[in-house]
Amino acid sequence: MTTVADAAAAVERLWPISGSEAWDAPGLLSGDPSATVTRILLAVDAVADTVDEAIDVGAEVLLVHHPLLLRGVTTVAESTAKGAVLARLIRGGCALLAAHTNADIVETGTSARLASLLGLQDAVPIVETAPGVGLGRVGALPEPATLGALARRLAGILPPTATGVRVAGAFDRAVQTIAVCGGAGDSLLGEPAVLAADAYITADLRHHPASEAVESARVAGGPALIDVSHWASEWLWLETAAAELRAELPGVEVVVSDLRTDPWDFVVVQ
């Protein structure tokens, strides 16, 4: 018999909490450690839709990438979004686990998955914390491509979202060395490996960091920028995570949610 505690231990073996950032809050958030587990649902976010899906499919564990209580919370009243989510999970007998920055840095983590799907060769962390472990990945395409072709290929790999793929750079610019960071990655814009790349793919690029990077590239060189959906860039990792969990927990069914939890519904192109 597999328990919630066993599932949490498997998550710890695959993505040790010791590898998480100091500000992060992964691990077991709610649930009875002694409860039996036969099915686990994986999703990027613990939101009303994915919680309902977990309950509906009979999952005893919802494993998400983004911790629900990452920021300070003073109430879990059901009149709040987070309180309602927790109450639904508890009443439905479904535990909540999270693997966040501890799952980003490992050799098969979020950025490594994106680099692999792009076919990047000899990919290594942008910021290495141990051999083969660290934030982001940088590697080379097998052959040079145009920036436009790379963006189109990326659009075909990612699940569709309203905001699609945004690019700063000439469509026909030649690129081969590519840096990637699943999720929000503007904190890595100044890293030497990113500055030396031909293009940098990440999510949540804010106006000022992106503008400064573009202007700096005109003076001192730097990568073209490709901005994608935060959710989409990390959803790709769920299949890898599911395969690893199945190996760790034989006899437990592990399912990946196809629900889109990107917050945007549509865009008006001007």
Side-chain angles (χ1 to χ4, degrees):
M1 180 185 74
T2 300
T3 65
V4 169
D6 294 329
V11 168
E12 173 64 19
R13 289 192 297 272
L14 291 169
W15 313 293
I17 288 180
S18 61
S20 62
E21 297 288 327
W23 50 263
D24 203 3
L28 180 62
L29 175 61
S30 67
D32 178 2
S34 66
T36 300
V37 175
T38 62
R39 184 175 293 116
I40 298 174
L41 179 70
L42 270 63
V44 175
D45 300 295
V47 293
D49 286 345
T50 53
V51 168
D52 285 347
E53 182 182 20
I55 303 301
D56 290 346
V57 302
E60 296 90 1
V61 172
L62 173 61
L63 173 62
V64 294
H65 186 51
H66 295 146
L68 180 66
L69 302 181
L70 183 58
R71 306 293 182 226
V73 173
T74 58
T75 175
V76 289
E78 290 185 60
S79 56
T80 67
K82 292 182 180 182
V85 162
L86 283 174
R88 175 80 167 115
L89 285 166
I90 292 168
R91 290 196 182 99
C94 184
L96 181 61
L97 273 164
H100 193 208
T101 54
N102 48 320
D104 288 332
I105 67 169
V106 297
E107 293 183 8
T108 55
T110 52
S111 297
R113 171 66 169 164
L114 181 55
S116 175
L117 290 171
L118 284 170
L120 300 188
Q121 299 177 334
D122 303 319
V124 296
I126 293 172
V127 178
E128 192 170 59
T129 57
V133 174
L135 293 172
R137 290 297 184 272
V138 59
L141 295 169
E143 300 290 340
T146 65
L147 181 62
L150 174 64
R152 283 177 171 170
R153 182 176 180 187
L154 184 61
I157 291 171
L158 295 169
T161 58
T163 51
V165 176
R166 303 190 299 175
V167 184
F171 187 94
D172 59 355
R173 174 175 174 170
V175 296
Q176 186 165 20
T177 301
I178 312 298
V180 304
C181 180
D186 60 17
S187 64
L188 302 182
L189 281 167
E191 291 295 329
V194 172
L195 293 173
D198 298 318
Y200 179 42
I201 301 167
T202 190
D204 293 348
L205 283 176
R206 294 170 295 160
H207 173 84
H208 291 295
S211 178
E212 289 174 10
V214 168
E215 293 302 309
S216 294
R218 292 177 177 176
V219 176
L225 303 180
I226 301 181
D227 183 52
V228 301
S229 157
H230 189 129
W231 166 81
S233 70
E234 295 178 329
W235 181 85
L236 298 170
W237 166 75
L238 297 182
E239 286 292 349
T240 298
E244 292 175 333
L245 273 175
R246 291 180 190 117
E248 289 285 333
L249 299 170
V252 174
E253 183 181 3
V254 182
V255 182
V256 172
S257 173
D258 289 328
L259 293 178
R260 186 188 71 183
T261 55
D262 184 88
W264 303 109
D265 293 314
F266 65 90
V267 64
V268 178
V269 180
Q270 294 175 296

